[in-house]
Amino acid sequence: PMLLLIPGPVQTRPEVRAAAAADIAPWDDEFRAEYAAMRPRIVRIAGGMEGEHAALPLPGCGHMVVEAAVRTFVPAGGRLLVVRNGSYADRLIRLATEAGRAVVPLDGADTEPMAPERLAAALAANPDCTHVAVVVSETGSGIVNDIAALGAVTRAAGRRLICDAVSGFGAIPFRIADHPECDVVVFTSNKCLEGLPGLGIAVAPVRRLEACRGQAGSWVMDLADVYDHALKNGWGSFRFTPAVQALRAFGVAMDLYDAEGGQPARLARYARNRDVLYDGLVALGFTPYLERRHQGPIIVNVHQPRDAAWDFRAFIERLKARGVLVSNFWNTAEPTIRIACIGAVGEDDIRFALAAIEAVLAEMGVGLRRAA
């Protein structure tokens, strides 16, 4: 079996994969009840209050639900300040711009979190920006923006927050009920919650959904319409055919999440994976992309070796032949290697991967300890 060390879709447990092995009619009454029972569980994981917040799954990927969040809560022609310190913030900017929203980027290095005082200054300088969008975990580099601090600045400035928690939700602490400035937190089924790909999920305050009806400019991408459909047709009803097997598997993934101990336990496991991976890569001679103090628990990124024998594609394929799959692309200006700490993996899996990396470097004749 392949060890998957990519930041999504992640390695999953056999029970999760097995849950997807049946054909399911999504509008069958039994499955409607199964889906309806998932929605309050999703709200709880997001730190929301049943009745005050709603879970709004959309079939598709993280980018789809991010666009839906922007469209739903930022009116057409509205101005959105985007904390821009990584490649996924760049993508958010493109999604918002092509949806007809005006973007003011707050640029920062992709090697450290955005300083709250910089956001405060940018909001003071741009009073016409109604919303702030923050990518919590940047899987291009591995940094984690301090969403509690950035949210507090947004709240103090009287603006609204769009929280892109796609790659960190379920591990990095966030409780939407503690953030009255937050219009929406978005995530997917297939990263830190360790489900299968196929669902983008939003959790939003009901009062904000009711206030933002009709401004998405899209039927498919309108989270307020997802909410209204549930009110009219029941919480077990989807508007359009869902990724139904992924949905059932997500219920099993939530069972496993709860059994492990929820967010604190999952963060602790990923943090242990990160520490073993970071230390192990340094011991092999790699240069980390981030200083240790800025290294988040989702992915570890290292510079590619400066060695005549180095060949990135050959490294990826040789590592795969040894049973380890890491990202075969990078999102940084300089060539890097991204290795995930998340998914249904533990420290022993990370040590296995490190041993495979060491063996591949030896096969290739890459002398990292000399060349780094």
Side-chain angles (χ1 to χ4, degrees):
M2 190 66 64
L3 175 61
L4 207 59
L5 295 181
I6 61 173
V10 298
Q11 184 106 354
T12 56
R13 291 263 295 266
E15 303 96 311
V16 172
R17 298 191 297 275
D23 291 319
I24 305 165
W27 293 281
D28 174 71
D29 285 344
E30 286 185 18
F31 187 76
R32 284 168 63 107
E34 187 178 328
Y35 170 42
M38 291 183 204
R39 293 174 87 151
R41 297 182 70 186
I42 294 167
V43 169
R44 283 196 299 275
I45 293 173
M49 307 288 287
E50 184 62 21
E52 293 182 23
H53 298 89
L56 308 161
L58 278 182
C61 63
H63 287 75
M64 288 181 65
V65 76
V66 170
E67 180 175 335
V70 170
R71 284 182 170 276
T72 300
F73 295 103
V74 182
R79 295 179 74 79
L80 171 70
L81 190 146
V82 176
V83 171
R84 185 187 190 189
N85 57 351
S87 58
Y88 287 84
D90 291 342
R91 293 178 179 208
L92 195 158
I93 287 170
R94 179 173 176 180
L95 291 172
T97 302
E98 295 198 9
R101 277 63 176 170
V103 171
V104 175
L106 173 58
D107 292 336
D110 69 353
T111 51
E112 61 184 19
M114 179 59 67
E117 53 270 23
R118 288 204 58 213
L119 176 59
L123 288 173
N126 292 278
D128 54 349
C129 286
T130 59
H131 284 73
V132 174
V134 179
V135 177
V136 178
S137 169
E138 267 288 0
T139 55
S141 66
I143 58 168
V144 173
N145 285 306
D146 184 346
I147 192 62
L150 297 176
V153 167
T154 304
R155 182 165 68 248
R159 317 300 172 85
R160 307 298 305 167
L161 177 68
I162 291 173
C163 179
D164 175 347
V166 167
S167 71
F169 183 86
I172 295 168
F174 183 82
R175 293 182 49 79
I176 193 170
D178 296 341
H179 289 272
E181 76 283 357
C182 187
D183 270 356
V184 63
V185 55
V186 297
F187 50 99
T188 65
S189 53
N190 65 316
K191 295 187 188 288
C192 296
L193 294 173
E194 298 181 5
L196 300 178
L199 297 168
I201 304 167
V203 174
V206 166
R207 64 178 182 82
R208 291 296 297 153
L209 290 162
E210 291 173 338
C212 293
R213 288 188 174 105
Q215 65 184 26
S218 165
W219 183 19
V220 171
M221 297 284 196
D222 188 353
L223 295 173
D225 188 71
V226 177
Y227 171 70
D228 286 342
H229 177 88
L231 291 182
K232 181 179 179 181
N233 298 285
W235 290 96
S237 175
F238 252 92
R239 299 177 306 163
F240 315 119
T241 304
V244 66
Q245 283 80 8
L247 191 57
R248 172 167 284 172
F250 188 60
V252 175
M254 285 193 289
D255 291 342
L256 294 168
Y257 180 80
D258 290 343
E260 185 174 357
Q263 178 269 321
R266 193 140 292 183
L267 176 60
R269 174 159 59 86
Y270 292 167
R272 291 193 299 270
N273 290 348
R274 173 205 53 206
D275 292 344
V276 171
L277 183 56
Y278 193 99
D279 291 343
L281 290 168
V282 168
L284 289 174
F286 284 100
T287 302
Y289 190 73
L290 301 178
E291 295 178 40
R292 185 181 287 275
R293 65 194 173 112
H294 296 320
Q295 176 62 63
I298 307 303
I299 69 126
V300 171
N301 213 11
V302 293
H303 291 275
Q304 291 184 27
R306 296 186 182 93
D307 186 292
W310 174 255
D311 180 319
F312 180 64
R313 302 303 303 189
F315 171 77
I316 294 295
E317 289 305 314
R318 285 171 182 255
L319 195 57
K320 184 178 173 183
R322 289 178 175 270
V324 180
L325 196 59
V326 302
S327 291
N328 64 358
F329 65 96
W330 60 90
N331 302 89
T332 49
E334 297 178 38
T336 51
I337 309 169
R338 304 192 311 160
I339 306 176
C341 313
I342 63 174
V345 298
E347 295 166 63
D348 287 346
D349 297 302
I350 301 298
R351 292 190 182 96
F352 173 82
L354 287 165
I357 290 169
E358 184 173 25
V360 168
L361 293 173
E363 279 178 13
M364 294 175 69
V366 175
L368 265 182
R369 290 184 180 86
R370 299 187 303 276

Coordinates of all heavy atoms in Angstrom, one line a residue, residues 26-27 29 32-33 35-36 39 219 225-240:
P26 N -29.4 9.3 -3.1 CA -29.3 10.4 -2.1 C -30.6 11.0 -1.6 O -30.6 11.6 -0.6 CB -28.5 11.5 -2.9 CG -28.7 11.1 -4.3 CD -28.8 9.6 -4.4
W27 N -31.7 10.7 -2.4 CA -33.0 11.3 -1.9 C -33.8 10.2 -1.2 O -35.0 10.4 -0.9 CB -33.7 11.9 -3.1 CG -33.0 13.1 -3.5 CD1 -33.0 14.4 -2.9 CD2 -32.1 13.2 -4.6 NE1 -32.2 15.2 -3.6 CE2 -31.6 14.6 -4.6 CE3 -31.6 12.4 -5.6 CZ2 -30.7 15.1 -5.6 CZ3 -30.7 12.8 -6.5 CH2 -30.3 14.1 -6.5
D29 N -35.2 8.2 1.8 CA -35.5 8.7 3.1 C -34.5 8.3 4.2 O -34.2 9.1 5.1 CB -37.0 8.3 3.6 CG -38.0 9.1 2.8 OD1 -37.7 10.2 2.3 OD2 -39.2 8.7 2.9
R32 N -31.5 10.4 3.7 CA -31.8 11.8 4.1 C -31.6 12.0 5.6 O -31.1 13.0 6.1 CB -33.2 12.2 3.6 CG -33.4 12.5 2.2 CD -34.8 12.6 1.8 NE -35.5 13.7 2.4 CZ -35.9 14.8 1.9 NH1 -35.6 15.0 0.6 NH2 -36.5 15.7 2.5
A33 N -32.1 11.0 6.3 CA -32.0 11.0 7.8 C -30.5 11.0 8.2 O -30.1 11.7 9.1 CB -32.8 9.9 8.4
Y35 N -27.9 12.0 6.4 CA -27.3 13.3 6.1 C -27.7 14.4 7.1 O -26.9 15.2 7.6 CB -27.6 13.7 4.7 CG -27.2 15.0 4.2 CD1 -26.0 15.6 4.6 CD2 -28.1 15.8 3.5 CE1 -25.6 16.9 4.2 CE2 -27.7 17.1 3.1 CZ -26.5 17.6 3.5 OH -26.2 18.9 3.1
A36 N -29.0 14.4 7.4 CA -29.5 15.4 8.3 C -28.8 15.3 9.7 O -28.5 16.4 10.3 CB -31.0 15.3 8.5
R39 N -25.3 17.2 9.9 CA -25.2 18.7 9.8 C -24.9 19.3 11.2 O -24.0 20.1 11.3 CB -26.4 19.3 9.0 CG -26.3 18.9 7.6 CD -27.5 19.3 6.8 NE -27.3 20.7 6.2 CZ -27.9 21.1 5.1 NH1 -28.6 20.2 4.4 NH2 -27.8 22.3 4.7
W219 N -26.6 30.5 -8.9 CA -27.4 29.6 -8.2 C -26.6 28.5 -7.5 O -26.8 28.2 -6.3 CB -28.5 29.0 -9.2 CG -29.5 28.1 -8.6 CD1 -29.9 28.0 -7.3 CD2 -30.3 27.1 -9.3 NE1 -30.8 27.1 -7.1 CE2 -31.1 26.5 -8.3 CE3 -30.4 26.7 -10.6 CZ2 -32.1 25.5 -8.6 CZ3 -31.3 25.7 -10.9 CH2 -32.1 25.1 -9.9
D225 N -28.8 30.1 -0.6 CA -29.8 29.3 -1.3 C -29.7 27.8 -0.8 O -30.7 27.1 -0.6 CB -29.6 29.3 -2.8 CG -30.7 28.6 -3.5 OD1 -31.9 29.1 -3.6 OD2 -30.5 27.4 -4.1
V226 N -28.5 27.4 -0.4 CA -28.4 26.1 0.2 C -29.1 26.0 1.5 O -29.9 25.1 1.8 CB -26.9 25.7 0.5 CG1 -26.7 24.4 1.2 CG2 -26.1 25.7 -0.8
Y227 N -29.0 27.1 2.3 CA -29.8 27.2 3.5 C -31.3 27.3 3.3 O -32.0 26.5 4.0 CB -29.3 28.5 4.3 CG -30.1 28.9 5.5 CD1 -30.0 28.1 6.7 CD2 -30.9 30.0 5.5 CE1 -30.8 28.4 7.8 CE2 -31.7 30.3 6.6 CZ -31.6 29.5 7.7 OH -32.4 29.8 8.8
D228 N -31.7 28.1 2.4 CA -33.1 28.2 2.1 C -33.7 26.9 1.6 O -34.9 26.5 2.0 CB -33.4 29.3 1.1 CG -33.2 30.7 1.7 OD1 -33.3 30.8 2.9 OD2 -33.1 31.7 0.9
H229 N -33.0 26.2 0.8 CA -33.4 24.8 0.4 C -33.6 23.9 1.6 O -34.6 23.2 1.6 CB -32.4 24.2 -0.6 CG -32.8 22.9 -1.1 ND1 -33.6 22.6 -2.2 CD2 -32.4 21.6 -0.6 CE1 -33.7 21.3 -2.3 NE2 -33.0 20.7 -1.4
A230 N -32.7 23.9 2.5 CA -32.9 23.1 3.7 C -34.1 23.5 4.5 O -34.8 22.6 5.0 CB -31.6 23.1 4.5
L231 N -34.4 24.8 4.6 CA -35.5 25.2 5.4 C -36.8 24.7 4.7 O -37.8 24.3 5.4 CB -35.6 26.7 5.4 CG -34.6 27.4 6.3 CD1 -34.8 28.9 6.3 CD2 -34.6 26.9 7.7
K232 N -36.8 24.7 3.4 CA -38.0 24.3 2.6 C -38.2 22.8 2.5 O -39.3 22.3 2.6 CB -38.0 25.0 1.2 CG -39.2 24.7 0.4 CD -39.1 25.4 -1.0 CE -40.3 25.1 -1.8 NZ -40.2 25.7 -3.2
N233 N -37.1 22.1 2.3 CA -37.2 20.7 1.9 C -36.6 19.7 3.0 O -36.7 18.5 2.8 CB -36.4 20.5 0.6 CG -37.0 21.2 -0.5 OD1 -38.0 20.9 -1.1 ND2 -36.3 22.3 -0.9
G234 N -36.1 20.3 4.1 CA -35.6 19.4 5.1 C -34.0 19.4 5.1 O -33.4 19.5 4.0
W235 N -33.4 19.2 6.3 CA -32.0 19.2 6.4 C -31.3 18.0 5.8 O -30.1 18.0 5.7 CB -31.6 19.4 7.9 CG -32.0 20.8 8.4 CD1 -33.1 21.1 9.0 CD2 -31.2 22.0 8.2 NE1 -33.1 22.5 9.3 CE2 -32.0 23.0 8.7 CE3 -30.0 22.3 7.5 CZ2 -31.5 24.4 8.7 CZ3 -29.6 23.6 7.5 CH2 -30.3 24.6 8.1
G236 N -32.1 17.0 5.4 CA -31.5 15.9 4.7 C -31.5 15.9 3.2 O -31.2 15.0 2.5
S237 N -31.9 17.1 2.7 CA -32.1 17.3 1.3 C -30.9 18.1 0.7 O -30.5 19.1 1.2 CB -33.4 18.0 1.0 OG -33.6 18.2 -0.4
F238 N -30.4 17.6 -0.5 CA -29.5 18.4 -1.3 C -30.2 19.0 -2.5 O -31.2 18.5 -3.0 CB -28.4 17.4 -1.9 CG -27.1 17.6 -1.2 CD1 -26.7 16.8 -0.1 CD2 -26.1 18.5 -1.7 CE1 -25.4 16.9 0.4 CE2 -24.9 18.6 -1.2 CZ -24.5 17.8 -0.1
R239 N -29.7 20.2 -2.9 CA -30.3 20.8 -4.1 C -30.0 20.0 -5.4 O -30.9 19.9 -6.2 CB -29.8 22.2 -4.3 CG -30.1 23.2 -3.1 CD -29.5 24.5 -3.3 NE -28.0 24.4 -3.6 CZ -27.3 25.4 -4.2 NH1 -27.8 26.5 -4.5 NH2 -26.0 25.2 -4.4
F240 N -28.8 19.6 -5.5 CA -28.4 18.9 -6.7 C -27.7 17.6 -6.3 O -27.3 17.5 -5.1 CB -27.4 19.8 -7.5 CG -27.8 21.2 -7.7 CD1 -27.1 22.2 -7.2 CD2 -29.0 21.5 -8.3 CE1 -27.5 23.5 -7.3 CE2 -29.5 22.8 -8.4 CZ -28.7 23.8 -7.9

